[in-house]
Amino acid sequence: MSGRLAAESGLRPTVLLPEPIEEEARALLEQGGLKLLASPDKKPESVAALMPQADAIVLRTGIRLSAELLQLGARLATISRTGAGFDNVDLAAATARGAIVTSSIGANTHTVAEHALALILALAKQLPLLDRETRAGNFRSRYDYRPRDLRGAVLGVIGFGRIGREVARACASSLGMSVLVFDPYFQPREEDRSWAGFCSLEDLLSRADVVSVHVPLTPETRGLLDAPRLARMKKGALIVNTSRGGLIDEQALARALESGQIGGAGIDVFEREPPEAGNPLLAAAGAILTPHAAALTRDCVVRMAVLAAQRVLDVLDGFLPENVANPEVLQQERWRGLKPRAAE
Ligand code: NAD
């Protein structure tokens, strides 16, 4: 092991695993000469007890690394997320600790896009309802004409990053949908404008037959689709959220489904997970719910964990990892001159 950090400390660097990770990722870390320290459970107090020994953490979504927990990580060099979002890491506290926060963003793009497409198709074709009717012996439900066509319908994509773009492309090229995009941080090029229209959020909401949400949860995007915005949508439009629960007001969405203002919702993510018994979406007809499972194919989970492990090895071996979420940390003396592994 080249292990710059090991050389600095004279110890075998330790990777804390607050939750189990796939065998393939464990093997990669162990082959890299790292010691693995698994928390017995994901209670903050269990993780807190192990924090002082951690040089690195491979983090899934089941625990939040708060400022209080990060304060205990005296040796912490890096936190590597197995997924895309950073909303379960206090980034400012990680930077104050001197820890590089990184992720396997990109490893789940196709998988989550496929799930969003599955929800769009299942809603448009009314699969859960028709499945129930068929099993109940109501074969005549075929004459209720519940499924709708998507060809020629307008898809509104909120957030034109990796996943949003993939969903938009598939809907345009395979399903023949028109695409509208709202993403104030994306600079469209000529090629983008050849197949997608770029517009304001208000414009998108009033014109889209299907809205799919692909933005991170930030203070700016929390509650992005609130009651007034849901009311502005086309009557009977479909909505899909595979991003984060806090982006849509769940109470308002349940009411809009009830009134028919929204014709169907495909929801993979919830404000609180698992959703509490009283969550109105659990009882909402017209909603298809999945348990934050969009990225959780076996292939994707292995890909994400292995990439997260690779990022840990990068940092501990003295290389600049990809996807640093807190680039300001790289200004600290400890990380000056860090270069990507490929550049060596
Ligand atoms: P990404 O960073 O590639 O894209 C996010 C896009 O959102 C960017 O283009 C950005 O400009 C845009 N954006 C940011 N703020 C915005 C705003 N206020 N309004 C409109 N657009 C805005 O991320 P990605 O890989 O495409 O992932 C999107 C989101 O999907 C992630 O943030 C994550 O929360 C979620 N996700 C969920 C799962 C799951 O299992 N359900 C898995 C992976 C990712």
Side-chain angles (χ1 to χ4, degrees):
M1 177 183 58
S2 56
R4 176 169 102 163
L5 191 127
E8 273 171 14
S9 66
L11 294 168
R12 194 151 72 110
T14 298
V15 184
L16 171 58
L17 306 174
E19 293 175 84
I21 59 170
E22 279 54 43
E23 199 41 53
E24 293 85 340
R26 292 180 64 95
L28 186 66
L29 292 166
E30 281 172 341
Q31 282 157 20
L34 306 180
K35 185 174 144 195
L36 304 187
L37 184 63
S39 177
D41 54 56
K42 55 186 181 183
K43 289 186 193 137
E45 55 272 30
S46 306
V47 177
L50 304 175
M51 281 297 279
Q53 298 173 59
D55 296 292
I57 299 176
V58 175
L59 184 68
R60 303 183 71 140
T61 50
I63 180 160
R64 181 173 158 74
L65 287 184
S66 61
E68 293 72 36
L69 274 179
L70 287 166
Q71 256 173 17
L72 303 169
R75 290 169 40 170
L76 201 57
T78 188
I79 297 159
S80 186
R81 280 274 296 111
T82 59
F86 295 106
D87 37 296
N88 62 335
V89 182
D90 186 322
L91 285 180
T95 303
R97 189 76 271 176
I100 298 177
V101 182
T102 177
S103 80
S104 59
I105 198 165
N108 56 20
T109 300
H110 299 92
T111 310
V112 178
E114 284 177 13
H115 197 90
L117 291 168
L119 288 172
I120 291 170
L121 280 162
L123 287 169
K125 300 303 171 187
Q126 295 281 328
L127 297 188
L129 175 85
L130 295 183
D131 176 71
R132 279 197 304 276
E133 297 289 1
T134 308
R135 288 167 200 272
N138 184 13
F139 212 74
R140 287 187 59 79
S141 64
R142 66 197 287 255
Y143 296 118
D144 294 343
Y145 310 128
R146 302 298 290 262
R148 4 175 150 170
D149 280 356
L150 287 170
R151 183 167 295 268
V154 176
L155 171 76
V157 174
I158 303 179
F160 203 54
R162 295 168 182 83
I163 299 170
R165 201 181 168 84
E166 187 93 8
V167 169
R169 268 208 181 278
C171 286
S173 63
S174 301
L175 300 179
M177 298 180 77
S178 303
V179 173
L180 287 177
V181 173
F182 168 67
D183 187 332
Y185 304 105
F186 181 80
Q187 295 295 327
R189 293 158 304 165
E190 207 50 40
E191 192 272 330
D192 302 310
R193 290 190 193 280
S194 69
W195 63 277
F198 294 81
C199 62
S200 69
L201 179 58
E202 270 47 37
D203 209 12
L204 180 149
L205 293 177
S206 65
R207 291 165 60 194
D209 300 294
V210 181
V211 169
S212 197
V213 186
H214 302 286
V215 295
L217 180 63
T218 64
E220 184 196 2
T221 60
R222 183 172 284 282
L224 188 71
L225 294 183
D226 55 8
R229 286 203 168 120
L230 292 173
R232 217 164 282 151
M233 286 174 64
K234 261 173 120 167
K235 189 164 171 60
L238 307 176
I239 191 161
V240 165
N241 184 11
T242 53
S243 289
R244 283 293 181 268
L247 297 168
I248 303 183
D249 179 333
E250 291 175 343
Q251 305 280 341
L253 178 58
R255 283 196 303 272
L257 283 163
E258 175 76 23
S259 72
Q261 164 58 19
I262 299 296
I267 304 292
D268 184 51
V269 283
F270 299 84
E271 176 86 47
R272 280 179 182 239
E273 294 184 356
E276 291 154 328
N279 185 314
L281 290 178
L282 295 177
I288 300 177
L289 310 179
T290 54
H292 202 149
L296 301 186
T297 63
R298 170 82 191 140
D299 286 346
C300 186
V301 167
V302 170
R303 226 170 26 242
M304 289 193 292
V306 165
L307 207 57
Q310 185 56 54
R311 305 252 192 271
V312 165
L313 286 168
D314 288 345
V315 174
L316 297 188
D317 283 350
F319 296 105
L320 178 67
E322 281 181 44
N323 297 326
V324 176
N326 56 341
E328 59 284 2
V329 78
L330 302 173
Q331 303 306 317
Q332 296 178 13
E333 188 52 40
R334 178 184 196 187
W335 302 121
R336 287 261 163 81
L338 222 53
K339 299 234 169 13
R341 194 184 280 274
E344 287 277 307

